[in-house]
Amino acid sequence: MPPRPLIIDCDPGVDDAIALLLALASPAEFDLLGITTVAGNVPLALTTANARRICHLAQRPDVPVYAGCPRPMLRSLITATEIHGATGLQGANLPEPTQPMPAQHAVAFLIEQFTTASAPITLATLGPPTNLAVALIQCPEIAQGIDQVVMMGGALGAGNITPAAEFNLYVDPHAARVVVEAGLPLTMLGLDVTHQVVTTPERLSALDQLGTPVGQAAAAMLRHYGQIDIERHGLAAPPLHDPCVIAYLLRPDLFAGRPMHLAVETEGRLCLGRTVANPCPNSSANATVIETADAAGIYALLTERLGKL
Ligand code: RIB
Ligand code: CA
């Protein structure tokens, strides 16, 4: 199989960083065309610098990073520094990136790639989906160049930023609604599945024991990450959200889901950003909603791949 053309849209953020490392460690499966960044976990300048730091750590300065939208479409930006730290990569002490940065805006990059692609491109969204929504509004024709969108976001059960909403879609619910209603081949990995994928001490130790700069940086970031979620959701260990998207693209057999009709609340006061999903036949579904994951298999994949960097 030729490598899959892939663009990753993200807001690094610790779990975004682990997801980027997993993708960067999988060149046989991914032709990573570029990384686009958005404001989310931390402001845009930091998410962009962090994405570049991770490419430098993975010795992949060839992968271009494009800065995107500095705020949601309508709402003011809210961040998650209490979870990711003030730098966004709490625990890691990564050098400043030195590779040159393209001047093109992330939205322009997405439009250019999806309208000129010789083969449809997969887009993984790991943060608030502002860049994709703005690209769809500016140029609806990009849909023809999209193979599939795999989105980390949403929750059929409890939220994590409010009782009703997951962070990415709460930050920009209007963008999420544009994406969900665009008729794209969409797969959603929400909290219902990512909360099954938790970083136990044994899994953390396996990364640390890789004994490489990448393994030690990953372990250092994960050691502090997501403690709040343990208390908030009664989890046994911190959940690992964004790497589930990349693991799904690498090993879909580790996951299971159903076709559903998905909608995003943009009017509510208490439920703003909530995803409402109804299982339905493929014909009337607008998304595949992933519901279960093989956590042990995901961490084995993650550790094996990061060991290659
Ligand atoms: O709710 C979890 C999601 O929000 C993850 O993508 C995390 O990085 C934050 O962006
Ligand atoms: Ca993220």
Side-chain angles (χ1 to χ4, degrees), residues 182-221:
L184 299 171
L186 175 65
T187 298
M188 173 185 127
L189 285 91
L191 299 180
D192 318 280
V193 65
T194 64
H195 280 181
Q196 298 171 35
V197 186
V198 294
T199 307
T200 61
E202 297 74 22
R203 291 165 179 169
L204 185 65
S205 172
L207 288 167
D208 209 7
Q209 286 171 13
L210 288 172
T212 60
V214 168
Q216 287 165 350
M221 287 187 278

Side-chain angles (χ1 to χ4, degrees), residues 71-106:
R71 51 151 293 189
M73 287 174 61
L74 290 180
R75 285 163 52 82
S76 302
L77 177 64
I78 61 163
T79 58
T81 51
E82 74 282 1
I83 292 182
H84 299 267
T87 66
L89 297 183
Q90 177 171 272
N93 182 20
L94 301 179
E96 281 303 309
T98 54
Q99 67 270 39
M101 176 138 175
Q104 190 176 36
H105 191 282

Side-chain angles (χ1 to χ4, degrees), residues 42-129:
V42 288
L44 180 67
L46 275 175
T47 59
T48 305
N50 289 340
R52 300 176 73 223
R53 287 187 176 98
I54 292 300
C55 289
H56 183 83
L57 173 67
Q59 299 181 65
R60 291 291 308 277
D62 58 298
V63 178
V65 175
Y66 298 83
C69 295
R71 51 151 293 189
M73 287 174 61
L74 290 180
R75 285 163 52 82
S76 302
L77 177 64
I78 61 163
T79 58
T81 51
E82 74 282 1
I83 292 182
H84 299 267
T87 66
L89 297 183
Q90 177 171 272
N93 182 20
L94 301 179
E96 281 303 309
T98 54
Q99 67 270 39
M101 176 138 175
Q104 190 176 36
H105 191 282
V107 171
F109 171 72
L110 292 174
I111 291 171
E112 177 188 70
Q113 291 296 313
F114 290 136
T115 55
T116 61
S118 53
I121 299 169
T122 294
L123 176 64
T125 69
L126 311 181

Side-chain angles (χ1 to χ4, degrees), residues 10-17 40-41 80 83-84 125-128 152-154 160-161 165-169 171 191 194-195 225 229 241-242:
C10 56
D11 62 335
V14 167
D15 59 325
D16 304 72
N41 287 316
I83 292 182
H84 299 267
T125 69
L126 311 181
M152 193 283 135
N160 60 358
I161 186 72
E166 176 277 326
F167 179 81
N168 285 335
L169 304 197
V171 168
L191 299 180
T194 64
H195 280 181
Y225 171 71
D229 285 320
H241 306 290
D242 293 337

